[in-house]
Amino acid sequence: EMSNHRELLSRLKPLVNNKNQWVDFSNYIDYVIEQQHKILEQSSDSIIIYQAQGAISTLRRLKLLRDEVNKNG
């Protein structure tokens, strides 16, 4: 399973190491995080709040993808 993980990461090197593509992707992630923050601020439904928190957590992890790929890919 670990070799599959490394293989998947290795295949992402062209994306994360293309500066323009990575900057655009990262900016998009920031935009989506902002949208999720608005949902958090406006919601009183605990389920929606938990979903937004989970989305933000996952999106932040994606922002670390470049480091993970270059370290382990």
Side-chain angles (χ1 to χ4, degrees), residues 17-34:
N17 291 319
N18 179 312
K19 187 175 191 287
N20 291 335
Q21 281 186 331
W22 184 255
V23 168
D24 290 341
F25 182 68
S26 187
N27 288 340
Y28 175 74
I29 291 173
D30 288 338
Y31 170 78
V32 178
I33 288 172
E34 284 178 31

Side-chain angles (χ1 to χ4, degrees), residues 3 5 7 12-13 17 20 22 30 35 41 47 50 54 59 69 72:
S3 62
H5 183 249
E7 184 179 329
L12 294 173
K13 281 186 179 185
N17 291 319
N20 291 335
W22 184 255
D30 288 338
Q35 299 306 306
E41 292 168 0
I47 293 174
Y50 297 145
L59 290 161
V69 166
N72 299 309

Side-chain angles (χ1 to χ4, degrees), residues 36 40 48-58:
Q36 293 298 317
L40 276 176
I48 292 173
I49 291 171
Y50 297 145
Q51 288 173 338
Q53 288 172 333
I56 291 168
S57 176
T58 301

